[in-house]
Amino acid sequence: MKKSADISKFNLRLRKEVEERMGAHVNTPKDFVRLHDMVFSELHVGISISTLKRYWGYVSAPAHYQPNLFTLNTLTHFVGYRDWEAFIAGDKKKATPGKTERRKKMEAALSRIESQMTRLGEEVAMLHRLLHEDE
C-alpha cells in the first residue's frame, strides 16, 4: 500500500497530465464542464462534475479525500494508461486501446456500411427506372 504522501504526489501528477491532455488548466466551473464533456465524449464514461471539482480541490472535501477507483481509473485511462495501478507504476506503454480506438473503428465500419447502402439505394433506383421504362 502506498503512503499518503505518495498518493498525493500521484494525484498531483494525474491532475497535471489531465490538464496537459486538455490543453488548459482546470480551475473554473466551465473548465470542469469541459473536462466532463471531453471524458464522456472520448471514453463514454461519466465522472460527475462535483467529483471533478472535489478532486481538483475547487470545492471543499473531507480531510484525506481520495476519489473512488472508478474515478481514478477513468482519469488515468483518459491520459493513456490502462488504469490507476499502471499510472502509479508509470506503465503507459501497456495502456490498452480505449473506447476512443474502438469508436474510431466503429465509425469507420459505419461509414463503409453507409457507403454500401448508398450504392444499393442507387442501384434500386436505377432498377425502378428500368422497370418503368418498359411500361
Side-chain angles (χ1 to χ4, degrees), residues 3-127:
K3 292 183 278 184
S4 179
D6 290 338
I7 295 298
S8 293
K9 177 181 76 172
F10 290 121
N11 283 322
L12 286 171
R13 191 177 107 215
L14 178 56
R15 287 191 293 268
K16 181 179 179 215
E17 287 195 32
V18 167
E19 289 178 344
E20 287 173 2
R21 172 81 170 68
M22 284 184 62
H25 291 291
V26 179
N27 52 19
T28 68
K30 261 186 173 174
D31 297 333
F32 292 103
V33 171
R34 183 171 167 246
L35 174 56
H36 169 271
D37 292 348
M38 283 181 74
V39 169
F40 187 80
S41 172
E42 292 185 26
L43 303 177
H44 304 285
V45 173
I47 300 174
S48 79
I49 294 169
S50 60
T51 296
L52 293 171
K53 287 179 178 179
R54 265 193 310 279
Y55 187 59
W56 257 261
Y58 185 79
V59 296
S60 62
H64 306 294
Y65 167 76
Q66 179 66 13
N68 66 36
L69 192 56
F70 170 83
T71 299
L72 295 171
N73 284 339
T74 301
L75 290 173
T76 54
H77 196 93
F78 180 70
V79 296
Y81 292 84
R82 184 183 68 246
D83 55 25
W84 175 245
E85 289 301 317
F87 178 79
I88 288 174
D91 200 1
K92 198 167 195 169
K93 66 181 178 248
K94 286 192 175 179
T96 57
K99 291 185 182 177
T100 303
E101 284 302 311
R102 276 199 309 262
R103 184 178 178 96
K104 287 178 186 175
K105 289 177 183 176
M106 289 169 42
E107 286 173 349
L110 183 59
S111 178
R112 287 190 305 272
I113 290 168
E114 287 172 339
S115 293
Q116 291 170 352
M117 289 176 66
T118 300
R119 282 193 304 273
L120 285 173
E122 290 167 355
E123 288 182 34
V124 166
M126 182 184 68
L127 287 171

